[in-house]
Amino acid sequence: MNDAVMAKYTKDKKVGEGTFAVVYVGKQVKTDRKIAIKQIKEGEFKDGVDMSAIREIKFLQEIRHANVIELIDVFTAGPRLSMVLEFLPTDLEGLIKDTKILFRLGDVKAWMLMATRGLHHCHRLQILHRDLKPNNLLISPTGELKIADFGLARQMPNPKDKMTPTVVTRWYRAPELLFGARYYTPAVDVWSLGLIFAELMLRLPYCPGEDDIDQIDKTFRAFGTPTEEEWPGLTSLPAYPKTVNKYPHPSVQELKMRFSAATENGLELFQAMTELNPADRVSCEEALTADYFTEFPRPTKLAELPGRTE
Amino acid sequence: MATASPYPSDIIMSKPYLSENAIQQIQAHSVYTTYSRYMAQANIAFKVLEATCKSLLLPVRSFGTAMVLFSRYCLLNNSLDGTFEEVLIACLVCACKIEDTAKRVRDVHGAVYLYSKVAMVAFDACKPKIMTLELQILETVTFDFRIRHPQPYIIKIAKALGASKEIARLAWTISMDTYRTHMHMKRPPHTIALSCLILAGKLKNETNIFPIKSEPYNSDRLSVNHALLDLLDLYMIYLDSTKLGEHKYEKSVFSQLRIAVSKEVENSHVEEHTLSHEQEQAISKQLIRDKTRSDKGTVRYILDWEIHQLGKYEEVN
């Protein structure tokens, strides 16, 4: 960043470094608003400007939603490319790991509601996120949850476009992706959201596979092994393993044991979001109308949510 | 002019569409100073990129985006910052990233040189240049990745019109030729699609789809006619090097059609927006990308709708 930007934004300190960018916090001088500056690394271009930077600019420029991170500016200064983003100090992963914080039922509901709303907006704009995980759900100083990191996002494909199945962090990867499906739907994001739901209730990852094969096993162990009748075409997916361990689908009783604090409606939504067959999984729109969101307790108000810094 | 901004930074708004007049004005200051010089290069770029995209198994939209980037880069800069081939490689690499069909730069480099008639320059020698060009291209299009293509609209409008498959196929061929021209800077893709279908219908003498109303397809008759004129101008001069040229149509067919269309345009009595010489000069000066701008200060890129969020001291180019 050069002097010109320093006049408009202040760059205070480095807060993080990823594979393709360095992140700084700063302030928008005029409004005193805190911002994050994501500076794309120079000199480390392997294949030019990083694909994820292009994707992020492409999608975030056109999304405006309370539950999606705001891209305030795109700058070039000399050969460097920088993005100015909304400053979001906390993420859901940090909150989940912070054992000092107690989650109330309403807190989980509020976060799930905000995440589903944000995701619904992305899907409505024909955008697949493809990397939902607690780490990418950021919390604003006022407690609002915002979906971030569109580095793997893409436009929903045309009917015959093949897509790569190696997306989404392993623990949150939907079964169709684990089996190498080249054609998939927004349902992959809903699955990730379902697993985040489980993680919010348990405070532990629900399917922490050690590698891709273990991930399949852990997924089946948690949700039961699907059959060809339940999911037509399942066994002909490219990476469907030759031998699978057969696990029964967990009964309602079993789920109630696993998630002792959850209500029946909550479990119903969780099950609907984690249907193994993507064709049977709920859409974001259907999820938003689930009874879970309207039953007691109500989602916690922003002002009372944990993780706020203001 | 507004009072000087307290910040020495520039704001550039994306301008996805330009008027015919503006394009003519800018052309004189751009890389290729006349339309015919541009077309000669665009025809080469078309052939090389088409062959490259085929060999790399890229979809049509990646090819289209690469051509759109190429024509914008040529029009909105005053010199090529590299060899012609390096510019082509950078355009295609950018297009692949925008269209999510990523290819390795090395592969694109190899293919482009394979189909160009020049001696191969070693990858490591031109790589830094390609990387610089890539950023320049992104700046030229002001990080506006809303590049849409006429092909999906051709299919949809053809279905709605009840046109035969041959018409749709011919219109598709014509739509590929549009990438040689500046049409994609002048008209939205659905208007281009409609004009391609009309021309295809006229060439095949398919009377059942006429008369075609433009309004249901969110276009107006005048802009469709202007698009048609652009197409006919292309085929009257460059028919032999176009894809439609393979279909063995007489050039006279196009000139007859052109007479009819231009008569209608003249009779439509639309006031032309003429600019004074000073205004035109000012426009072309603004639009040509100042390569030193981002070295001197910071350039901020915005899309049109973001303009309402700017402060009143911020001056937009």
Side-chain angles (χ1 to χ4, degrees), chain A residues 2 47 49 55 58 73 78, chain B residues 97-98 100 294 298 300 305:
Chain A
N2 60 16
D47 253 0
V49 178
R55 284 190 179 128
K58 179 173 162 181
D73 270 329
Chain B
K97 285 180 184 166
I98 295 172
D100 224 314
S294 66
T298 308
R300 172 181 178 193
W305 57 268

Side-chain angles (χ1 to χ4, degrees), chain A residues 2 4-5 7-9 28-30 45-51 54-55 57-59 61-64 70-81 130 153-155 158 161, chain B residues 7-9 61 93 96-106 127 131 134-135 138-139 142-146 148 294-303 305-306 309 311 314:
Chain A
N2 60 16
V5 189
K8 190 162 159 55
Y9 296 106
Q28 197 168 16
V29 173
K30 229 186 299 182
F45 293 160
K46 274 204 192 94
D47 253 0
V49 178
D50 199 89
M51 183 86 177
I54 302 246
R55 284 190 179 128
I57 296 172
K58 179 173 162 181
F59 294 117
Q61 250 180 349
E62 294 199 75
I63 307 180
R64 281 294 179 278
E70 185 188 343
L71 175 68
I72 304 166
D73 270 329
V74 179
F75 278 111
T76 56
R80 274 172 295 177
L81 176 60
R130 307 200 299 180
R154 68 159 286 159
Q155 199 91 42
N158 294 325
D161 281 359
Chain B
Y7 310 114
S9 64
R61 63 172 200 279
V93 167
C96 283
K97 285 180 184 166
I98 295 172
E99 296 299 337
D100 224 314
T101 52
K103 287 281 169 209
R104 286 169 63 214
V105 182
R106 188 181 290 275
K127 188 180 168 186
M131 304 291 98
E134 184 187 16
L135 209 53
L138 293 176
E139 286 181 19
T142 62
F143 294 90
D144 184 352
F145 301 132
R146 299 172 299 178
R148 315 255 191 270
S294 66
D295 298 335
K296 283 187 295 209
T298 308
V299 188
R300 172 181 178 193
Y301 299 95
I302 58 169
L303 300 186
W305 57 268
E306 289 169 298
Q309 302 176 345
E314 291 168 307

